[in-house]
Amino acid sequence: MRRGGNVTKVVNSREHRGTEQTDSQRKIVNRLKRAQGQLAAVIAAVEAGNDCRVVVTQLSAVSSAIDRAGFVIIASAMKDCVAQASDGTVSSTDQVSVEELEKLFLTLA
């Protein structure tokens, strides 16, 4: 998963019925929406000329929320890979390698 890349494959790696979201997908979307709201607050604070301490504190919250969403995405992919490997339901083209998961995890560090 590259920055700006498509995370749909990782997030949607579990089978869905219709438009039903998995718990992990719902949690990821909620975290990202929370980060979106926090980013709007940072922008408003900068536009209002708020104290730099307030802006930096809010910006830190945005960064943490995005990082947590990334970790949830990777954790979900890891769980799916283990489950699919154990039951043999993953094709070689859909499989995310351990090395790729490790690289994704380290991009967030």
Side-chain angles (χ1 to χ4, degrees), residues 47-66:
E47 289 175 340
N50 286 4
D51 182 71
C52 69
R53 291 173 289 211
V54 172
V55 172
V56 170
T57 299
Q58 290 177 341
L59 193 55
S60 175
V62 172
S63 180
S64 293
I66 291 171

Side-chain angles (χ1 to χ4, degrees), residues 8 10 13 18 21 23 32 39 51-53 55 65 74 77-78 80 82-83 87 89-90 93 96 99-100 102 108-109:
T8 305
V10 173
S13 60
Q21 291 183 331
D23 282 343
L32 292 173
L39 182 57
D51 182 71
C52 69
R53 291 173 289 211
V55 172
I74 294 170
M78 289 165 57
D80 289 347
V82 169
D87 66 13
T89 61
V90 66
T93 57
V96 179
E99 292 81 16
E100 187 175 0
E102 182 179 335
L108 294 173

Side-chain angles (χ1 to χ4, degrees), residues 18-62:
T19 58
E20 182 180 319
Q21 291 183 331
T22 64
D23 282 343
S24 62
Q25 188 177 21
R26 184 179 40 71
K27 288 177 185 177
I28 291 163
V29 169
N30 287 342
R31 285 182 187 275
L32 292 173
K33 285 181 179 182
R34 190 175 312 124
Q36 184 179 32
Q38 290 169 325
L39 182 57
V42 170
I43 293 168
V46 170
E47 289 175 340
N50 286 4
D51 182 71
C52 69
R53 291 173 289 211
V54 172
V55 172
V56 170
T57 299
Q58 290 177 341
L59 193 55
S60 175
V62 172

Side-chain angles (χ1 to χ4, degrees), residues 1 6 30 44 46-47 59 69-70 80 91 95-96 101 103 106 109:
M1 172 178 36
N6 189 347
N30 287 342
V46 170
E47 289 175 340
L59 193 55
D80 289 347
S91 71
Q95 189 172 1
V96 179
L101 286 170
K103 184 177 178 183
L106 291 174

